[in-house]
Amino acid sequence: VAARSSPAVVAPDAAKTPSDCVPPNTVVLVWANRHHRPLFRAQIRNVQHRDCFMSRFVFVALDGSMYKHCEELAKDGIRIRCARSTTTAGSTAADEEEDDRALSPDALAAHRSSRWKDVSHIISQGVNVWAFDVDVSILEVPPFAEAMAVDGGGCDVLYQRRA
């Protein structure tokens, strides 16, 4: 993974973007591979044109195909931030376009572990993280400030919290 596209670099940069709907120093993280493309498109369908939200949305691609897809969305005007997973989940760079296998149990375990390592690196830089699985539809911009205040406002990480 190129250091400049790792979540630990992309997320703190995204957190600096001014936003009137996401609290300061806060980002949204979602991880997905090519098998999740339809889920990902459905996830952001209702909020993809809300710049205040999408400019803080960090999409962590688990393979080259999804990284390219993220870059295409950005070129099409969606203010998404693209990062590459710090682990290779499921295939090598040489065959990832043709490889249609599901993640092996070992690759899935590596992904689950690495995403929390990514989150740890991000929060160690003073950035709050709101993490979603790709199968969670975002119908509207979540009320971040209200949800974080429930926990006393001192929350570093929220995971798929119903808001």
Side-chain angles (χ1 to χ4, degrees):
V1 174
R4 63 183 165 75
S5 64
S6 75
V9 173
V10 175
D13 184 54
K16 296 175 188 171
T17 304
S19 174
D20 62 0
C21 67
V22 179
N25 299 316
T26 301
V27 295
V28 174
L29 287 181
V30 172
W31 297 259
N33 68 19
R34 67 191 156 281
H35 299 286
H36 300 124
R37 186 180 297 206
L39 287 172
F40 175 64
R41 292 298 296 171
Q43 180 181 52
I44 65 168
R45 180 173 293 124
N46 292 323
V47 293
Q48 65 187 356
H49 298 296
R50 295 286 311 273
D51 288 349
C52 67
F53 179 72
M54 294 305 295
S55 64
R56 299 284 193 86
F57 192 103
V58 178
F59 178 77
V60 184
L62 300 177
D63 57 42
S65 174
M66 282 305 285
Y67 188 76
K68 287 181 199 173
H69 180 64
C70 182
E71 289 181 320
E72 289 167 6
L73 292 173
K75 286 178 188 170
D76 289 342
I78 296 176
R79 292 193 61 196
I80 193 168
R81 303 298 183 107
C82 306
R84 292 189 70 114
S85 174
T86 55
T87 62
T88 302
S91 65
T92 65
D95 66 1
E96 66 189 347
E97 291 294 341
E98 293 81 27
D99 186 357
D100 227 12
R101 294 173 291 163
L103 292 177
S104 70
D106 289 343
L108 186 57
H111 158 63
R112 288 181 176 151
S113 172
S114 75
R115 73 182 187 173
W116 296 111
K117 289 178 187 174
D118 289 341
V119 168
S120 177
H121 287 121
I122 294 165
I123 62 173
S124 73
Q125 297 177 65
V127 176
N128 299 313
V129 174
W130 189 296
F132 288 100
D133 284 337
V134 72
D135 63 350
V136 175
S137 290
I138 303 171
L139 302 177
E140 59 187 20
V141 174
F144 293 102
E146 294 166 25
M148 292 171 124
V150 168
D151 291 322
C155 186
D156 296 322
V157 178
L158 290 175
Y159 176 70
Q160 291 188 189
R161 183 175 192 132
R162 180 180 294 265

